Amino acid sequence: ELLEGDVIVRSIHDVKATDLGADTVRFKAEINFDGREVTKLHISKLDLEKLLKEIKSYSTINELERLLLEHGEHVVDTLGSEVDRIEMKIKKDHPEVRHVDLEIL
């Protein structure tokens, strides 16, 4: 439920929890993330008016490509942060879970 209720999670596959003994569990799941929601998180940190002005000043494809590459990198960083956030939430809500392995589909 924790994963299914998260707005950035589109679907969950191959979920496994392994009891390692002594109240220790390993949790593994493959996650299909919603790219639009991840991108919205990135966009929410931007000054869109400033960005629009910047884009309007471009006169070459290279300038636009540089901007897209920069923001693509930030979207990937945002996804990594969200994976970390979800892993920490699982561990906080389920203290017996010592290892969380979320794979991005």
Side-chain angles (χ1 to χ4, degrees):
E1 287 181 19
L2 173 71
L3 294 173
E4 291 170 341
D6 200 301
V7 68
I8 70 163
V9 175
R10 184 177 292 143
S11 60
I12 308 158
H13 306 273
D14 196 27
V15 177
K16 294 179 183 163
T18 305
D19 186 348
L20 302 174
D23 295 326
T24 303
V25 173
R26 177 177 184 259
F27 179 83
K28 177 207 169 284
E30 295 175 355
I31 310 294
N32 183 5
F33 287 93
D34 187 328
R36 286 183 177 267
E37 292 299 328
V38 174
T39 303
K40 283 181 187 178
L41 282 172
H42 167 63
I43 289 172
S44 72
K45 301 172 191 168
L46 302 175
D47 179 343
L48 293 179
E49 296 213 10
K50 180 180 175 186
L51 184 59
L52 180 59
K53 274 185 174 179
E54 181 182 345
I55 292 169
K56 285 181 177 182
S57 75
Y58 291 167
S59 59
T60 68
I61 296 295
N62 287 340
E63 290 172 306
L64 181 60
E65 183 178 318
R66 179 196 53 78
L67 176 84
L68 293 172
L69 290 171
E70 179 182 328
H71 286 280
E73 184 174 346
H74 290 302
V75 168
V76 171
D77 291 344
T78 299
L79 177 58
S81 296
E82 288 301 298
V83 169
D84 291 345
R85 177 187 60 81
I86 291 170
E87 287 178 347
M88 286 189 294
K89 178 123 177 78
I90 290 169
K91 288 179 178 180
K92 181 182 176 197
D93 291 357
H94 303 279
E96 70 279 7
V97 175
R98 300 280 197 258
H99 179 77
V100 178
D101 182 17
L102 299 181
E103 296 181 21
I104 301 170
L105 290 180

